């Protein structure tokens, strides 16, 4: 062995692991992400050549171009089809856990740039119940709130998190149904206006 101790290990600036392990840290095993390739090309060109990364015409700038083109290629699927953007919807559902115990779940807040841990704290304070961020079977995260607060959570999401009410849906039975919250809010506004007159 030609190892000299103590060993000095350089870590990738993109994924924070040794550059030799970058191909196994990305979404596709065995292929490094474009960001890791660009960082390795810019900072460790001899290792990049050993790993088979190509610099292109402008060296590291070519690596950045490769990263940009890889991002464009990521949206294209085999057969020339393009990947659709994720639909930005919030799904609220309620399910019975035991006899009179309910759990309300909220999914899709992360699509609007909301940190789920912060939203969870808001729900805990407002409803004075337990709430937690859980991972579902399809590797997505949702917020579970103890109690049947499905009707009260929609106005809170609109008010505190600034999400448009038209993109909030209840899940009842087999599929999502548009919230009745729009109608409820309009009725409440009409009642307030009538009371003020």
């Amino acid at each position: 062995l030609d190892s000299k101790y103590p060993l000095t290990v350089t870590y990738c600036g993109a994924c924070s692991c040794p550059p030799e392990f970058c191909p196994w840290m990305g979404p596709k095993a065995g292929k490094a992400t474009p960001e890791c390739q660009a960082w390795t090309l810019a900072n460790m060109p001899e290792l990049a050549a050993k790993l088979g990364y190509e610099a292109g015409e402008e060296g590291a700038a070519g690596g950045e171009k490769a990263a940009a083109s890889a991002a464009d290629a990521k949206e294209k699927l085999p057969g020339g089809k393009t990947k659709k953007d994720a639909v930005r919807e919030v799904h609220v559902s309620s399910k019975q856990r035991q006899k009179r115990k309910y759990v309300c779940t909220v999914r899709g807040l992360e699509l609007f740039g909301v940190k789920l841990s912060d939203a969870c704290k808001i729900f805990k304070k407002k409803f004075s119940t337990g709430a937690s961020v859980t991972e579902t079977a399809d590797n997505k995260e949702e917020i579970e709130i103890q109690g049947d607060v499905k009707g009260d959570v929609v106005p809170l999401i609109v008010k505190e998190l600034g999400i448009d009410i038209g993109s909030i849906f209840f899940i009842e039975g087999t599929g999502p149904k548009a919230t009745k919250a729009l109608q409820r809010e309009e009725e409440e506004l009409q009642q307030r206006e009538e009371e003020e007159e």
Side-chain angles (χ1 to χ4, degrees), residues 87-104:
V87 179
R88 291 178 49 170
E89 294 178 344
V90 175
H91 291 211
V92 179
S93 65
S94 181
K95 58 186 172 188
Q96 191 170 4
R97 212 170 29 105
Q98 288 178 352
K99 294 179 184 176
R100 292 184 342 196
K101 308 280 184 182
Y102 286 88
V103 175
C104 181

Side-chain angles (χ1 to χ4, degrees), residues 137-151:
D138 56 349
N139 294 329
K140 293 186 179 180
E141 291 184 333
E142 67 182 8
I143 297 177
E144 281 191 355
I145 308 166
Q146 292 179 7
D148 193 12
V149 294
K150 183 170 68 170

Side-chain angles (χ1 to χ4, degrees), residues 43-86:
N43 297 302
M44 304 177 76
E46 66 283 345
L47 182 64
K50 183 178 175 184
L51 294 173
Y53 303 156
E54 295 181 12
E57 297 167 0
E58 293 89 21
E64 292 169 6
K65 286 182 182 178
S69 66
D72 293 338
K74 196 185 289 184
E75 295 181 357
K76 294 217 177 198
L77 297 174
K81 297 179 183 176
T82 56
K83 186 176 181 181
K84 293 181 182 178
D85 292 335

